[in-house]
């Protein structure tokens, strides 16, 4: 019987150099997409999937993340005194129960695999999710919920996958499928950032994973891979061919790469237009723009 997934790891130790100078003083994960920080979207997706234990892998200068999910008594009292119940409800959604969030430090920048390995004592001997806040996904059903539902049926390691155009494949880890059943793909291999024209499929891995504790053992034993870092994909690849192996879930939803400036801007437009309180005015503004080219 497959164990339920109740823990999620959020690797948030990166420096966010692509967003300098803003990230000189604030963590990238606190940057707001419309009026919610990137990390709030990730937490809401995880909560919507039934996650109850949230593990943040942080580094120096990330204390604002801890403060964000704490209560703000002075602000709450001020809103209550002014009768702003709508804003009080918004604020309540940012609060987390005591003990629900744990923090561990990644003291050296040694890659995503190392960040996940840093959380090993909090994960224990059970399957767990990994959520990369840079990937924000607009979907009717949380992508992590889609993955957990499929994982409950087949177990093993699972990665979120989406179809990409051939000329974009070199920017992703690409799955080498063995078979496909609906939106679930059995994986026989993975290629990290393949050279143009050599990709085994058009299925790219994005920042949602469900992993078994065996991956942590592999991370402990593996050396540094591409870029001199401990690669999570190397540890996942070691599970291919084992039972129940590795699979990809082609999810329903639209993914935005908010780790890049272009993707962040695209997400801002998409989420802004989707808002009932902002969309009509925002659409009128966009229609009135005179764009060269």
């Amino acid at each position: 019987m497959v164990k339920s997934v109740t823990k999620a790891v959020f690797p948030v130790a990166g420096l966010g150099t692509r967003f300098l100078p803003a990230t000189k003083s604030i963590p990238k994960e606190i940057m707001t997409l419309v009026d919610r920080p990137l990390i709030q979207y990730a937490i809401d997706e995880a909560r919507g999937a039934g996650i109850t234990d949230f593990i943040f892998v942080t580094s120096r200068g990330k204390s604002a993340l801890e403060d964000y999910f704490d209560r703000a008594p002075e602000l709450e009292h001020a809103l209550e005194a002014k009768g702003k119940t709508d804003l009080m409800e918004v604020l309540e959604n940012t609060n987390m129960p005591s003990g629900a969030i744990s923090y561990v430090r990644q003291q050296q920048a040694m890659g995503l695999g190392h960040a996940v390995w840093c959380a090993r004592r909090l994960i224990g001997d059970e399957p767990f999710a990994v959520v990369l806040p840079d990937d924000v996904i607009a979907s009717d059903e949380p992508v992590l919920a889609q993955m957990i539902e499929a994982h409950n049926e087949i177990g093993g390691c699972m990665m979120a996958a989406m179809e990409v155009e051939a000329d974009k494949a070199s920017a992703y880890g690409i799955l080498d499928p063995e078979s496909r059943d609906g939106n679930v793909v059995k994986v026989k291999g993975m290629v990290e950032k393949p050279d143009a024209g050599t990709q085994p499929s058009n299925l790219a891995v994005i920042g949602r994973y469900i992993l078994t504790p065996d991956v942590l053992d592999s991370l402990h034993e593996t050396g540094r891979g591409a870029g001199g870092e401990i690669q999570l994909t190397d540890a996942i690849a070691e599970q291919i061919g084992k039972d129940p192996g590795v699979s990809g879930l082609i999810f329903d939803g639209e993914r935005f790469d908010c780790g890049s400036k272009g993707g962040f801007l695209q997400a801002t437009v998409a989420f802004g237009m989707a808002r009932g309180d902002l969309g009509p005015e925002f659409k009128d503004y966009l229609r009135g723009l005179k764009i060269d080219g």
Side-chain angles (χ1 to χ4, degrees):
M1 183 176 179
V2 178
K3 290 184 179 179
S4 298
V5 178
T6 60
K7 295 181 179 179
V9 177
F10 300 82
V12 291
L15 297 176
T17 52
R18 284 188 285 181
F19 283 88
L20 284 170
T23 48
K24 177 183 178 181
S25 60
I26 60 171
K28 177 182 61 178
E29 298 79 16
I30 293 293
M31 293 179 61
T32 54
L33 183 56
V34 188
D35 55 4
R36 292 162 62 197
L38 293 179
I39 193 62
Q40 184 72 58
Y41 289 90
I43 287 286
D44 288 346
E45 180 182 330
R47 288 195 291 200
I51 297 298
T52 57
D53 297 291
F54 306 80
I55 304 168
F56 282 30
V57 182
T58 68
S59 60
R60 288 176 58 87
K62 298 282 185 170
S63 59
L65 277 169
E66 299 182 29
D67 292 339
Y68 176 78
F69 288 109
D70 201 353
R71 302 200 74 93
E74 292 183 359
L75 179 56
E76 292 173 7
H77 293 157
L79 294 175
E80 185 177 10
K82 295 179 180 179
K84 296 185 176 181
T85 56
D86 54 337
L87 292 180
M88 290 177 64
E89 291 178 4
V90 170
L91 199 62
E92 184 64 29
N93 288 331
T94 70
N95 297 330
M96 299 289 285
S98 296
I101 297 183
S102 303
Y103 301 91
V104 296
R105 283 283 184 99
Q106 183 185 24
Q107 295 177 328
Q108 293 176 282
M110 294 174 60
L112 177 58
H114 181 257
V116 172
W117 180 80
C118 288
R120 64 197 182 282
R121 291 187 177 89
L122 295 173
I123 294 168
D125 186 25
E126 57 187 277
F128 62 99
V130 177
V131 179
L132 306 188
D134 279 358
D135 283 332
V136 177
I137 306 172
S139 58
D140 293 332
E141 180 184 10
V143 168
L144 197 56
Q146 298 175 39
M147 295 178 69
I148 288 176
E149 182 179 357
H151 181 265
N152 288 340
E153 296 291 329
I154 62 176
C157 293
M158 179 174 288
M159 298 168 284
M162 68 177 189
E163 297 179 343
V164 296
E165 297 176 1
D167 61 349
K168 302 287 181 60
S170 60
Y172 298 90
I174 301 295
L175 299 182
D176 188 358
E178 178 180 313
S179 60
R180 177 170 176 173
D181 182 9
N183 61 348
V184 177
V185 177
K186 188 73 173 179
V187 175
K188 65 179 180 181
M190 295 186 292
V191 181
E192 187 67 27
K193 297 182 179 179
D195 293 334
T198 66
Q199 64 271 17
S201 76
N202 68 338
L203 295 177
V205 177
I206 63 101
R208 301 291 186 274
Y209 307 83
I210 296 176
L211 305 176
T212 65
D214 293 335
V215 171
L216 298 175
D217 295 333
S218 296
L219 288 171
H220 182 71
E221 297 168 1
T222 190
R224 299 194 183 202
E229 298 180 335
I230 296 176
Q231 298 292 336
L232 182 60
T233 51
D234 291 344
I236 297 173
E238 291 189 17
Q239 313 309 313
I240 296 175
K242 299 179 181 179
D243 186 24
V246 178
S247 58
L249 179 83
I250 305 171
F251 61 89
D252 292 324
E254 183 177 5
R255 173 255 190 179
F256 297 91
D257 177 13
C258 290
S260 70
K261 294 175 184 177
F264 194 95
L265 289 172
Q266 292 167 19
T268 299
V269 172
F271 280 80
M273 291 178 65
R275 286 273 294 265
D277 58 336
L278 300 174
E281 182 180 355
F282 193 25
K283 290 176 184 177
D284 288 342
Y285 170 74
L286 293 175
R287 291 191 191 101
L289 288 178
K290 296 181 180 180
I291 302 175
D292 295 335

